[in-house]
C-alpha cells in the first residue's frame, strides 16, 4: 500500500523487498549501463535469496521466480550469487556450524528443536556472531520438527531466533521484548541457557 503524503511504500504480500524495488523501478533499471544493471540485479537477487531462504520458504510465489528470470536479462548469474552468499564460508565457520548442530535437542515428541551457540564456541572457532546468521537453515525441514529455536549467547544476554510453519512465533517473541513475523521472529532473553529454554518451551507448548 502507498501511504498518502509519505515517502513510505509498504506491501506485506510481497515475497521480498527486492521484489518491491524491482516492480517500482524495472524501467529505470533498463536505462542504466550494463555494469549498473548487473550490480542492481545482483543486489535484488540477494534479497530474494535471503527472504526466501533460497526459495524453500512457504512465501515463495510465482512472482519470485518471474522477477529472478527477468534479472537474468540484466546480467545476473544465479550460481555465482548462490556460491558467494550461501556457501562462501571459511573452514572455521564450517567447524562452528558442526559444533552448533551437535547441540541439537528435541522436545514434545521431537516437534520442537533447540540448538545453541556459546561465546566459547565462537572464540575457539575464530568466528563472530555473524557466522551464525543463517544457522537455522541447516535444520529447516527436519522430519517431525514444527518449531526451531536457536539460542545465541551474547555478552549480556541471549538472542533467540525462532522459526516455525506451524505456530505464530511472533507472539512468543513479542512477549519477551522482540518481534518479527509469524513464521520467523527473534527476541532477547536475560536468563541462563537452561532458564531460557524452559521459558520458551512453555510458550511453544501453549500453541502446539
Amino acid at each position: 500500500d502507498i501511504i498518502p503524503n509519505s515517502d513510505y511504500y509498504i506491501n506485506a504480500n510481497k515475497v521480498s523487498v527486492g521484489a518491491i524495488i524491482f516492480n517500482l523501478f524495472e524501467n529505470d533499471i533498463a536505462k542504466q549501463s550494463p555494469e549498473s544493471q548487473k550490480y542492481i540485479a545482483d543486489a535484488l537477487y540477494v534479497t530474494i535469496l535471503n527472504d526466501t531462504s533460497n526459495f524453500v520458504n512457504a512465501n515463495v510465489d510465482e512472482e519470485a521466480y518471474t522477477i529472478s528470470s527477468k534479472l537474468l536479462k540484466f546480467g545476473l548469474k544465479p550460481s555465482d550469487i548462490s556460491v558467494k552468499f550461501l556457501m562462501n564460508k571459511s573452514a572455521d565457520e564450517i567447524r562452528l556450524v558442526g559444533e552448533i548442530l551437535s547441540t541439537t535437542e528435541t522436545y514434545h515428541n521431537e516437534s520442537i528443536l533447540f540448538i545453541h551457540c556459546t561465546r566459547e564456541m565462537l572464540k575457539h572457532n575464530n568466528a563472530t556472531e555473524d557466522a551464525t546468521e543463517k544457522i537455522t537453515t541447516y535444520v529447516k525441514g527436519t522430519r517431525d520438527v514444527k518449531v526451531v529455536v536457536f539460542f545465541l549467547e551474547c555478552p549480556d544476554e541471549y538472542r533467540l531466533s525462532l522459526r516455525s510453519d506451524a505456530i505464530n512465533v511472533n507472539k512468543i517473541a513479542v512477549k519477551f521484548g522482540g518481534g518479527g513475523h509469524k513464521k520467523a521472529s527473534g527476541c532477547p532473553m536475560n536468563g541462563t541457557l537452561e532458564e531460557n529454554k524452559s521459558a520458551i518451551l512453555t510458550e511453544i507448548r501453549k500453541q502446539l
Side-chain angles (χ1 to χ4, degrees), residues 81-118:
I81 300 301
S82 294
V83 169
K84 292 177 182 177
F85 181 65
L86 299 172
M87 306 175 193
N88 186 27
K89 299 183 183 300
S90 68
D92 281 333
E93 289 176 314
I94 292 299
R95 281 188 282 270
L96 175 65
V97 168
E99 192 166 354
I100 293 172
L101 295 182
S102 73
T103 70
T104 297
E105 298 175 304
T106 56
Y107 304 87
H108 203 75
N109 296 321
E110 298 196 338
S111 64
I112 303 169
L113 187 150
F114 285 175
I115 51 177
H116 70 266
C117 178
T118 67

PDB file of all heavy atoms in Angstrom, residues 81-118:
ATOM      1  N   ILE A  81      25.984 -15.885  -7.413  1.00  0.00           N
ATOM      2  CA  ILE A  81      25.441 -15.259  -6.210  1.00  0.00           C
ATOM      3  C   ILE A  81      25.193 -16.305  -5.128  1.00  0.00           C
ATOM      4  O   ILE A  81      25.474 -16.079  -3.944  1.00  0.00           O
ATOM      5  CB  ILE A  81      24.137 -14.501  -6.531  1.00  0.00           C
ATOM      6  CG1 ILE A  81      24.400 -13.416  -7.572  1.00  0.00           C
ATOM      7  CG2 ILE A  81      23.557 -13.879  -5.264  1.00  0.00           C
ATOM      8  CD1 ILE A  81      25.426 -12.387  -7.167  1.00  0.00           C
ATOM      9  N   SER A  82      24.674 -17.459  -5.511  1.00  0.00           N
ATOM     10  CA  SER A  82      24.399 -18.515  -4.533  1.00  0.00           C
ATOM     11  C   SER A  82      25.676 -18.958  -3.836  1.00  0.00           C
ATOM     12  O   SER A  82      25.710 -19.160  -2.623  1.00  0.00           O
ATOM     13  CB  SER A  82      23.730 -19.715  -5.209  1.00  0.00           C
ATOM     14  OG  SER A  82      22.448 -19.372  -5.676  1.00  0.00           O
ATOM     15  N   VAL A  83      26.750 -19.118  -4.613  1.00  0.00           N
ATOM     16  CA  VAL A  83      28.024 -19.536  -4.030  1.00  0.00           C
ATOM     17  C   VAL A  83      28.558 -18.474  -3.081  1.00  0.00           C
ATOM     18  O   VAL A  83      28.954 -18.766  -1.945  1.00  0.00           O
ATOM     19  CB  VAL A  83      29.052 -19.835  -5.140  1.00  0.00           C
ATOM     20  CG1 VAL A  83      30.448 -19.998  -4.534  1.00  0.00           C
ATOM     21  CG2 VAL A  83      28.659 -21.082  -5.906  1.00  0.00           C
ATOM     22  N   LYS A  84      28.535 -17.217  -3.512  1.00  0.00           N
ATOM     23  CA  LYS A  84      29.085 -16.147  -2.694  1.00  0.00           C
ATOM     24  C   LYS A  84      28.250 -15.860  -1.456  1.00  0.00           C
ATOM     25  O   LYS A  84      28.781 -15.610  -0.372  1.00  0.00           O
ATOM     26  CB  LYS A  84      29.204 -14.867  -3.534  1.00  0.00           C
ATOM     27  CG  LYS A  84      30.249 -14.940  -4.633  1.00  0.00           C
ATOM     28  CD  LYS A  84      30.261 -13.667  -5.462  1.00  0.00           C
ATOM     29  CE  LYS A  84      31.269 -13.756  -6.594  1.00  0.00           C
ATOM     30  NZ  LYS A  84      31.236 -12.536  -7.450  1.00  0.00           N
ATOM     31  N   PHE A  85      26.928 -15.920  -1.594  1.00  0.00           N
ATOM     32  CA  PHE A  85      26.038 -15.536  -0.495  1.00  0.00           C
ATOM     33  C   PHE A  85      25.745 -16.687   0.456  1.00  0.00           C
ATOM     34  O   PHE A  85      25.644 -16.504   1.664  1.00  0.00           O
ATOM     35  CB  PHE A  85      24.722 -14.984  -1.059  1.00  0.00           C
ATOM     36  CG  PHE A  85      23.753 -14.529  -0.012  1.00  0.00           C
ATOM     37  CD1 PHE A  85      24.047 -13.454   0.816  1.00  0.00           C
ATOM     38  CD2 PHE A  85      22.534 -15.167   0.155  1.00  0.00           C
ATOM     39  CE1 PHE A  85      23.156 -13.027   1.787  1.00  0.00           C
ATOM     40  CE2 PHE A  85      21.626 -14.749   1.116  1.00  0.00           C
ATOM     41  CZ  PHE A  85      21.947 -13.678   1.934  1.00  0.00           C
ATOM     42  N   LEU A  86      25.608 -17.904  -0.083  1.00  0.00           N
ATOM     43  CA  LEU A  86      25.167 -19.029   0.738  1.00  0.00           C
ATOM     44  C   LEU A  86      26.287 -20.004   1.113  1.00  0.00           C
ATOM     45  O   LEU A  86      26.212 -20.663   2.147  1.00  0.00           O
ATOM     46  CB  LEU A  86      24.064 -19.810   0.004  1.00  0.00           C
ATOM     47  CG  LEU A  86      22.801 -19.028  -0.326  1.00  0.00           C
ATOM     48  CD1 LEU A  86      21.890 -19.872  -1.219  1.00  0.00           C
ATOM     49  CD2 LEU A  86      22.066 -18.613   0.940  1.00  0.00           C
ATOM     50  N   MET A  87      27.313 -20.101   0.295  1.00  0.00           N
ATOM     51  CA  MET A  87      28.316 -21.145   0.507  1.00  0.00           C
ATOM     52  C   MET A  87      29.711 -20.632   0.856  1.00  0.00           C
ATOM     53  O   MET A  87      30.582 -21.411   1.202  1.00  0.00           O
ATOM     54  CB  MET A  87      28.420 -22.023  -0.748  1.00  0.00           C
ATOM     55  CG  MET A  87      27.112 -22.595  -1.215  1.00  0.00           C
ATOM     56  SD  MET A  87      27.303 -23.484  -2.777  1.00  0.00           S
ATOM     57  CE  MET A  87      25.578 -23.687  -3.233  1.00  0.00           C
ATOM     58  N   ASN A  88      29.929 -19.366   0.769  1.00  0.00           N
ATOM     59  CA  ASN A  88      31.262 -18.800   0.931  1.00  0.00           C
ATOM     60  C   ASN A  88      31.648 -18.716   2.407  1.00  0.00           C
ATOM     61  O   ASN A  88      31.615 -17.654   3.024  1.00  0.00           O
ATOM     62  CB  ASN A  88      31.301 -17.402   0.283  1.00  0.00           C
ATOM     63  CG  ASN A  88      32.698 -16.821   0.279  1.00  0.00           C
ATOM     64  OD1 ASN A  88      33.680 -17.547   0.270  1.00  0.00           O
ATOM     65  ND2 ASN A  88      32.778 -15.504   0.292  1.00  0.00           N
ATOM     66  N   LYS A  89      32.016 -19.876   2.980  1.00  0.00           N
ATOM     67  CA  LYS A  89      32.350 -19.931   4.403  1.00  0.00           C
ATOM     68  C   LYS A  89      33.769 -20.429   4.590  1.00  0.00           C
ATOM     69  O   LYS A  89      34.268 -21.256   3.819  1.00  0.00           O
ATOM     70  CB  LYS A  89      31.374 -20.859   5.145  1.00  0.00           C
ATOM     71  CG  LYS A  89      29.928 -20.411   5.071  1.00  0.00           C
ATOM     72  CD  LYS A  89      29.030 -21.325   5.878  1.00  0.00           C
ATOM     73  CE  LYS A  89      27.568 -20.924   5.745  1.00  0.00           C
ATOM     74  NZ  LYS A  89      27.331 -19.556   6.218  1.00  0.00           N
ATOM     75  N   SER A  90      34.403 -19.957   5.646  1.00  0.00           N
ATOM     76  CA  SER A  90      35.749 -20.425   5.975  1.00  0.00           C
ATOM     77  C   SER A  90      35.657 -21.786   6.649  1.00  0.00           C
ATOM     78  O   SER A  90      34.588 -22.214   7.110  1.00  0.00           O
ATOM     79  CB  SER A  90      36.438 -19.431   6.918  1.00  0.00           C
ATOM     80  OG  SER A  90      35.786 -19.437   8.185  1.00  0.00           O
ATOM     81  N   ALA A  91      36.800 -22.481   6.738  1.00  0.00           N
ATOM     82  CA  ALA A  91      36.838 -23.770   7.422  1.00  0.00           C
ATOM     83  C   ALA A  91      36.431 -23.611   8.889  1.00  0.00           C
ATOM     84  O   ALA A  91      35.747 -24.470   9.454  1.00  0.00           O
ATOM     85  CB  ALA A  91      38.231 -24.385   7.313  1.00  0.00           C
ATOM     86  N   ASP A  92      36.851 -22.495   9.514  1.00  0.00           N
ATOM     87  CA  ASP A  92      36.469 -22.237  10.911  1.00  0.00           C
ATOM     88  C   ASP A  92      34.959 -22.118  11.049  1.00  0.00           C
ATOM     89  O   ASP A  92      34.365 -22.618  12.010  1.00  0.00           O
ATOM     90  CB  ASP A  92      37.135 -20.955  11.421  1.00  0.00           C
ATOM     91  CG  ASP A  92      38.587 -21.169  11.813  1.00  0.00           C
ATOM     92  OD1 ASP A  92      38.935 -22.317  12.174  1.00  0.00           O
ATOM     93  OD2 ASP A  92      39.369 -20.211  11.756  1.00  0.00           O
ATOM     94  N   GLU A  93      34.335 -21.437  10.095  1.00  0.00           N
ATOM     95  CA  GLU A  93      32.878 -21.275  10.147  1.00  0.00           C
ATOM     96  C   GLU A  93      32.164 -22.611   9.980  1.00  0.00           C
ATOM     97  O   GLU A  93      31.154 -22.873  10.634  1.00  0.00           O
ATOM     98  CB  GLU A  93      32.425 -20.282   9.071  1.00  0.00           C
ATOM     99  CG  GLU A  93      32.811 -18.852   9.366  1.00  0.00           C
ATOM    100  CD  GLU A  93      32.445 -17.906   8.237  1.00  0.00           C
ATOM    101  OE1 GLU A  93      32.717 -18.233   7.062  1.00  0.00           O
ATOM    102  OE2 GLU A  93      31.895 -16.826   8.521  1.00  0.00           O
ATOM    103  N   ILE A  94      32.687 -23.467   9.118  1.00  0.00           N
ATOM    104  CA  ILE A  94      32.091 -24.791   8.934  1.00  0.00           C
ATOM    105  C   ILE A  94      32.219 -25.605  10.211  1.00  0.00           C
ATOM    106  O   ILE A  94      31.290 -26.311  10.622  1.00  0.00           O
ATOM    107  CB  ILE A  94      32.753 -25.525   7.759  1.00  0.00           C
ATOM    108  CG1 ILE A  94      32.408 -24.831   6.432  1.00  0.00           C
ATOM    109  CG2 ILE A  94      32.314 -26.988   7.714  1.00  0.00           C
ATOM    110  CD1 ILE A  94      30.926 -24.794   6.123  1.00  0.00           C
ATOM    111  N   ARG A  95      33.389 -25.508  10.869  1.00  0.00           N
ATOM    112  CA  ARG A  95      33.556 -26.212  12.142  1.00  0.00           C
ATOM    113  C   ARG A  95      32.577 -25.693  13.183  1.00  0.00           C
ATOM    114  O   ARG A  95      32.027 -26.462  13.983  1.00  0.00           O
ATOM    115  CB  ARG A  95      34.997 -26.077  12.631  1.00  0.00           C
ATOM    116  CG  ARG A  95      35.983 -27.020  11.950  1.00  0.00           C
ATOM    117  CD  ARG A  95      37.345 -26.971  12.610  1.00  0.00           C
ATOM    118  NE  ARG A  95      38.096 -25.804  12.203  1.00  0.00           N
ATOM    119  CZ  ARG A  95      38.916 -25.768  11.150  1.00  0.00           C
ATOM    120  NH1 ARG A  95      39.081 -26.858  10.410  1.00  0.00           N
ATOM    121  NH2 ARG A  95      39.571 -24.673  10.833  1.00  0.00           N
ATOM    122  N   LEU A  96      32.339 -24.375  13.186  1.00  0.00           N
ATOM    123  CA  LEU A  96      31.379 -23.795  14.117  1.00  0.00           C
ATOM    124  C   LEU A  96      29.976 -24.326  13.845  1.00  0.00           C
ATOM    125  O   LEU A  96      29.256 -24.687  14.785  1.00  0.00           O
ATOM    126  CB  LEU A  96      31.385 -22.265  14.003  1.00  0.00           C
ATOM    127  CG  LEU A  96      30.334 -21.534  14.844  1.00  0.00           C
ATOM    128  CD1 LEU A  96      30.599 -21.746  16.333  1.00  0.00           C
ATOM    129  CD2 LEU A  96      30.304 -20.041  14.507  1.00  0.00           C
ATOM    130  N   VAL A  97      29.594 -24.390  12.585  1.00  0.00           N
ATOM    131  CA  VAL A  97      28.278 -24.930  12.233  1.00  0.00           C
ATOM    132  C   VAL A  97      28.124 -26.348  12.773  1.00  0.00           C
ATOM    133  O   VAL A  97      27.108 -26.704  13.377  1.00  0.00           O
ATOM    134  CB  VAL A  97      28.064 -24.915  10.699  1.00  0.00           C
ATOM    135  CG1 VAL A  97      26.830 -25.731  10.322  1.00  0.00           C
ATOM    136  CG2 VAL A  97      27.928 -23.486  10.195  1.00  0.00           C
ATOM    137  N   GLY A  98      29.152 -27.163  12.578  1.00  0.00           N
ATOM    138  CA  GLY A  98      29.099 -28.532  13.069  1.00  0.00           C
ATOM    139  C   GLY A  98      28.948 -28.601  14.576  1.00  0.00           C
ATOM    140  O   GLY A  98      28.185 -29.423  15.104  1.00  0.00           O
ATOM    141  N   GLU A  99      29.656 -27.725  15.275  1.00  0.00           N
ATOM    142  CA  GLU A  99      29.586 -27.723  16.733  1.00  0.00           C
ATOM    143  C   GLU A  99      28.200 -27.278  17.215  1.00  0.00           C
ATOM    144  O   GLU A  99      27.663 -27.841  18.176  1.00  0.00           O
ATOM    145  CB  GLU A  99      30.669 -26.811  17.306  1.00  0.00           C
ATOM    146  CG  GLU A  99      30.864 -26.961  18.793  1.00  0.00           C
ATOM    147  CD  GLU A  99      32.145 -26.329  19.297  1.00  0.00           C
ATOM    148  OE1 GLU A  99      32.958 -25.860  18.473  1.00  0.00           O
ATOM    149  OE2 GLU A  99      32.322 -26.302  20.533  1.00  0.00           O
ATOM    150  N   ILE A 100      27.635 -26.280  16.554  1.00  0.00           N
ATOM    151  CA  ILE A 100      26.290 -25.826  16.918  1.00  0.00           C
ATOM    152  C   ILE A 100      25.272 -26.936  16.669  1.00  0.00           C
ATOM    153  O   ILE A 100      24.412 -27.211  17.513  1.00  0.00           O
ATOM    154  CB  ILE A 100      25.907 -24.556  16.131  1.00  0.00           C
ATOM    155  CG1 ILE A 100      26.788 -23.383  16.562  1.00  0.00           C
ATOM    156  CG2 ILE A 100      24.430 -24.213  16.350  1.00  0.00           C
ATOM    157  CD1 ILE A 100      26.614 -22.135  15.716  1.00  0.00           C
ATOM    158  N   LEU A 101      25.360 -27.582  15.527  1.00  0.00           N
ATOM    159  CA  LEU A 101      24.406 -28.649  15.207  1.00  0.00           C
ATOM    160  C   LEU A 101      24.528 -29.816  16.187  1.00  0.00           C
ATOM    161  O   LEU A 101      23.542 -30.526  16.440  1.00  0.00           O
ATOM    162  CB  LEU A 101      24.619 -29.136  13.780  1.00  0.00           C
ATOM    163  CG  LEU A 101      24.322 -28.117  12.665  1.00  0.00           C
ATOM    164  CD1 LEU A 101      24.531 -28.749  11.295  1.00  0.00           C
ATOM    165  CD2 LEU A 101      22.909 -27.574  12.784  1.00  0.00           C
ATOM    166  N   SER A 102      25.718 -29.996  16.761  1.00  0.00           N
ATOM    167  CA  SER A 102      25.905 -31.083  17.725  1.00  0.00           C
ATOM    168  C   SER A 102      25.171 -30.825  19.040  1.00  0.00           C
ATOM    169  O   SER A 102      25.033 -31.733  19.862  1.00  0.00           O
ATOM    170  CB  SER A 102      27.394 -31.302  18.001  1.00  0.00           C
ATOM    171  OG  SER A 102      27.935 -30.261  18.800  1.00  0.00           O
ATOM    172  N   THR A 103      24.676 -29.594  19.244  1.00  0.00           N
ATOM    173  CA  THR A 103      23.923 -29.272  20.467  1.00  0.00           C
ATOM    174  C   THR A 103      22.439 -29.576  20.320  1.00  0.00           C
ATOM    175  O   THR A 103      21.656 -29.322  21.244  1.00  0.00           O
ATOM    176  CB  THR A 103      24.074 -27.784  20.837  1.00  0.00           C
ATOM    177  OG1 THR A 103      23.366 -26.972  19.872  1.00  0.00           O
ATOM    178  CG2 THR A 103      25.541 -27.358  20.878  1.00  0.00           C
ATOM    179  N   THR A 104      22.031 -30.105  19.184  1.00  0.00           N
ATOM    180  CA  THR A 104      20.613 -30.338  18.893  1.00  0.00           C
ATOM    181  C   THR A 104      19.912 -31.120  20.002  1.00  0.00           C
ATOM    182  O   THR A 104      20.362 -32.180  20.412  1.00  0.00           O
ATOM    183  CB  THR A 104      20.451 -31.099  17.564  1.00  0.00           C
ATOM    184  OG1 THR A 104      20.957 -30.295  16.493  1.00  0.00           O
ATOM    185  CG2 THR A 104      18.977 -31.414  17.296  1.00  0.00           C
ATOM    186  N   GLU A 105      18.806 -30.541  20.459  1.00  0.00           N
ATOM    187  CA  GLU A 105      17.936 -31.197  21.437  1.00  0.00           C
ATOM    188  C   GLU A 105      16.509 -31.122  20.915  1.00  0.00           C
ATOM    189  O   GLU A 105      16.123 -30.108  20.319  1.00  0.00           O
ATOM    190  CB  GLU A 105      18.005 -30.502  22.796  1.00  0.00           C
ATOM    191  CG  GLU A 105      19.370 -30.525  23.452  1.00  0.00           C
ATOM    192  CD  GLU A 105      19.385 -29.721  24.739  1.00  0.00           C
ATOM    193  OE1 GLU A 105      19.025 -28.522  24.672  1.00  0.00           O
ATOM    194  OE2 GLU A 105      19.737 -30.279  25.786  1.00  0.00           O
ATOM    195  N   THR A 106      15.732 -32.179  21.141  1.00  0.00           N
ATOM    196  CA  THR A 106      14.342 -32.157  20.714  1.00  0.00           C
ATOM    197  C   THR A 106      13.426 -32.414  21.903  1.00  0.00           C
ATOM    198  O   THR A 106      13.791 -33.107  22.855  1.00  0.00           O
ATOM    199  CB  THR A 106      14.064 -33.210  19.615  1.00  0.00           C
ATOM    200  OG1 THR A 106      14.453 -34.505  20.088  1.00  0.00           O
ATOM    201  CG2 THR A 106      14.814 -32.871  18.348  1.00  0.00           C
ATOM    202  N   TYR A 107      12.227 -31.836  21.810  1.00  0.00           N
ATOM    203  CA  TYR A 107      11.232 -31.931  22.867  1.00  0.00           C
ATOM    204  C   TYR A 107       9.853 -32.155  22.245  1.00  0.00           C
ATOM    205  O   TYR A 107       9.670 -31.996  21.039  1.00  0.00           O
ATOM    206  CB  TYR A 107      11.209 -30.634  23.699  1.00  0.00           C
ATOM    207  CG  TYR A 107      12.538 -30.251  24.294  1.00  0.00           C
ATOM    208  CD1 TYR A 107      13.458 -29.490  23.570  1.00  0.00           C
ATOM    209  CD2 TYR A 107      12.884 -30.636  25.590  1.00  0.00           C
ATOM    210  CE1 TYR A 107      14.681 -29.125  24.114  1.00  0.00           C
ATOM    211  CE2 TYR A 107      14.109 -30.275  26.151  1.00  0.00           C
ATOM    212  CZ  TYR A 107      14.995 -29.527  25.401  1.00  0.00           C
ATOM    213  OH  TYR A 107      16.215 -29.169  25.944  1.00  0.00           O
ATOM    214  N   HIS A 108       8.896 -32.472  23.106  1.00  0.00           N
ATOM    215  CA  HIS A 108       7.484 -32.580  22.690  1.00  0.00           C
ATOM    216  C   HIS A 108       7.356 -33.533  21.510  1.00  0.00           C
ATOM    217  O   HIS A 108       6.887 -33.159  20.427  1.00  0.00           O
ATOM    218  CB  HIS A 108       6.955 -31.192  22.332  1.00  0.00           C
ATOM    219  CG  HIS A 108       5.463 -31.065  22.430  1.00  0.00           C
ATOM    220  ND1 HIS A 108       4.800 -30.968  23.626  1.00  0.00           N
ATOM    221  CD2 HIS A 108       4.506 -31.022  21.462  1.00  0.00           C
ATOM    222  CE1 HIS A 108       3.505 -30.861  23.402  1.00  0.00           C
ATOM    223  NE2 HIS A 108       3.294 -30.893  22.098  1.00  0.00           N
ATOM    224  N   ASN A 109       7.792 -34.780  21.736  1.00  0.00           N
ATOM    225  CA  ASN A 109       7.748 -35.800  20.687  1.00  0.00           C
ATOM    226  C   ASN A 109       8.511 -35.377  19.440  1.00  0.00           C
ATOM    227  O   ASN A 109       8.083 -35.621  18.310  1.00  0.00           O
ATOM    228  CB  ASN A 109       6.302 -36.143  20.319  1.00  0.00           C
ATOM    229  CG  ASN A 109       5.539 -36.766  21.470  1.00  0.00           C
ATOM    230  OD1 ASN A 109       6.090 -37.581  22.218  1.00  0.00           O
ATOM    231  ND2 ASN A 109       4.272 -36.373  21.643  1.00  0.00           N
ATOM    232  N   GLU A 110       9.646 -34.731  19.666  1.00  0.00           N
ATOM    233  CA  GLU A 110      10.558 -34.297  18.601  1.00  0.00           C
ATOM    234  C   GLU A 110       9.966 -33.236  17.679  1.00  0.00           C
ATOM    235  O   GLU A 110      10.481 -33.006  16.582  1.00  0.00           O
ATOM    236  CB  GLU A 110      11.059 -35.490  17.777  1.00  0.00           C
ATOM    237  CG  GLU A 110      11.850 -36.500  18.594  1.00  0.00           C
ATOM    238  CD  GLU A 110      12.657 -37.455  17.747  1.00  0.00           C
ATOM    239  OE1 GLU A 110      12.309 -37.628  16.560  1.00  0.00           O
ATOM    240  OE2 GLU A 110      13.637 -38.012  18.274  1.00  0.00           O
ATOM    241  N   SER A 111       8.924 -32.548  18.133  1.00  0.00           N
ATOM    242  CA  SER A 111       8.336 -31.483  17.307  1.00  0.00           C
ATOM    243  C   SER A 111       8.991 -30.124  17.563  1.00  0.00           C
ATOM    244  O   SER A 111       8.776 -29.176  16.811  1.00  0.00           O
ATOM    245  CB  SER A 111       6.828 -31.385  17.568  1.00  0.00           C
ATOM    246  OG  SER A 111       6.568 -31.005  18.916  1.00  0.00           O
ATOM    247  N   ILE A 112       9.787 -30.030  18.633  1.00  0.00           N
ATOM    248  CA  ILE A 112      10.494 -28.791  18.967  1.00  0.00           C
ATOM    249  C   ILE A 112      11.990 -29.092  18.953  1.00  0.00           C
ATOM    250  O   ILE A 112      12.445 -30.060  19.570  1.00  0.00           O
ATOM    251  CB  ILE A 112      10.093 -28.273  20.354  1.00  0.00           C
ATOM    252  CG1 ILE A 112       8.580 -28.065  20.442  1.00  0.00           C
ATOM    253  CG2 ILE A 112      10.823 -26.971  20.675  1.00  0.00           C
ATOM    254  CD1 ILE A 112       8.077 -27.798  21.852  1.00  0.00           C
ATOM    255  N   LEU A 113      12.750 -28.274  18.246  1.00  0.00           N
ATOM    256  CA  LEU A 113      14.192 -28.475  18.136  1.00  0.00           C
ATOM    257  C   LEU A 113      14.934 -27.237  18.618  1.00  0.00           C
ATOM    258  O   LEU A 113      14.654 -26.131  18.168  1.00  0.00           O
ATOM    259  CB  LEU A 113      14.574 -28.799  16.694  1.00  0.00           C
ATOM    260  CG  LEU A 113      16.023 -29.193  16.415  1.00  0.00           C
ATOM    261  CD1 LEU A 113      16.092 -30.151  15.222  1.00  0.00           C
ATOM    262  CD2 LEU A 113      16.910 -27.973  16.134  1.00  0.00           C
ATOM    263  N   PHE A 114      15.880 -27.447  19.535  1.00  0.00           N
ATOM    264  CA  PHE A 114      16.720 -26.363  20.060  1.00  0.00           C
ATOM    265  C   PHE A 114      18.170 -26.600  19.637  1.00  0.00           C
ATOM    266  O   PHE A 114      18.661 -27.735  19.683  1.00  0.00           O
ATOM    267  CB  PHE A 114      16.678 -26.328  21.592  1.00  0.00           C
ATOM    268  CG  PHE A 114      15.413 -25.767  22.186  1.00  0.00           C
ATOM    269  CD1 PHE A 114      15.235 -25.783  23.567  1.00  0.00           C
ATOM    270  CD2 PHE A 114      14.408 -25.233  21.411  1.00  0.00           C
ATOM    271  CE1 PHE A 114      14.094 -25.272  24.144  1.00  0.00           C
ATOM    272  CE2 PHE A 114      13.255 -24.718  21.968  1.00  0.00           C
ATOM    273  CZ  PHE A 114      13.096 -24.740  23.347  1.00  0.00           C
ATOM    274  N   ILE A 115      18.847 -25.521  19.261  1.00  0.00           N
ATOM    275  CA  ILE A 115      20.294 -25.523  19.086  1.00  0.00           C
ATOM    276  C   ILE A 115      20.833 -24.267  19.737  1.00  0.00           C
ATOM    277  O   ILE A 115      20.103 -23.292  19.916  1.00  0.00           O
ATOM    278  CB  ILE A 115      20.711 -25.571  17.594  1.00  0.00           C
ATOM    279  CG1 ILE A 115      19.983 -24.485  16.785  1.00  0.00           C
ATOM    280  CG2 ILE A 115      20.489 -26.944  17.004  1.00  0.00           C
ATOM    281  CD1 ILE A 115      20.408 -24.433  15.322  1.00  0.00           C
ATOM    282  N   HIS A 116      22.123 -24.281  20.109  1.00  0.00           N
ATOM    283  CA  HIS A 116      22.662 -23.083  20.743  1.00  0.00           C
ATOM    284  C   HIS A 116      24.144 -22.885  20.412  1.00  0.00           C
ATOM    285  O   HIS A 116      24.825 -23.822  19.974  1.00  0.00           O
ATOM    286  CB  HIS A 116      22.476 -23.131  22.268  1.00  0.00           C
ATOM    287  CG  HIS A 116      23.341 -24.138  22.970  1.00  0.00           C
ATOM    288  ND1 HIS A 116      22.901 -25.409  23.268  1.00  0.00           N
ATOM    289  CD2 HIS A 116      24.614 -24.060  23.442  1.00  0.00           C
ATOM    290  CE1 HIS A 116      23.854 -26.069  23.898  1.00  0.00           C
ATOM    291  NE2 HIS A 116      24.913 -25.272  24.015  1.00  0.00           N
ATOM    292  N   CYS A 117      24.595 -21.656  20.624  1.00  0.00           N
ATOM    293  CA  CYS A 117      25.996 -21.297  20.408  1.00  0.00           C
ATOM    294  C   CYS A 117      26.477 -20.484  21.601  1.00  0.00           C
ATOM    295  O   CYS A 117      25.819 -19.513  22.005  1.00  0.00           O
ATOM    296  CB  CYS A 117      26.154 -20.491  19.124  1.00  0.00           C
ATOM    297  SG  CYS A 117      27.849 -19.950  18.792  1.00  0.00           S
ATOM    298  N   THR A 118      27.619 -20.866  22.160  1.00  0.00           N
ATOM    299  CA  THR A 118      28.194 -20.150  23.298  1.00  0.00           C
ATOM    300  C   THR A 118      29.306 -19.214  22.841  1.00  0.00           C
ATOM    301  O   THR A 118      29.806 -19.317  21.719  1.00  0.00           O
ATOM    302  CB  THR A 118      28.766 -21.145  24.325  1.00  0.00           C
ATOM    303  OG1 THR A 118      29.896 -21.815  23.728  1.00  0.00           O
ATOM    304  CG2 THR A 118      27.717 -22.171  24.742  1.00  0.00           C
TER     305      THR A 118
END
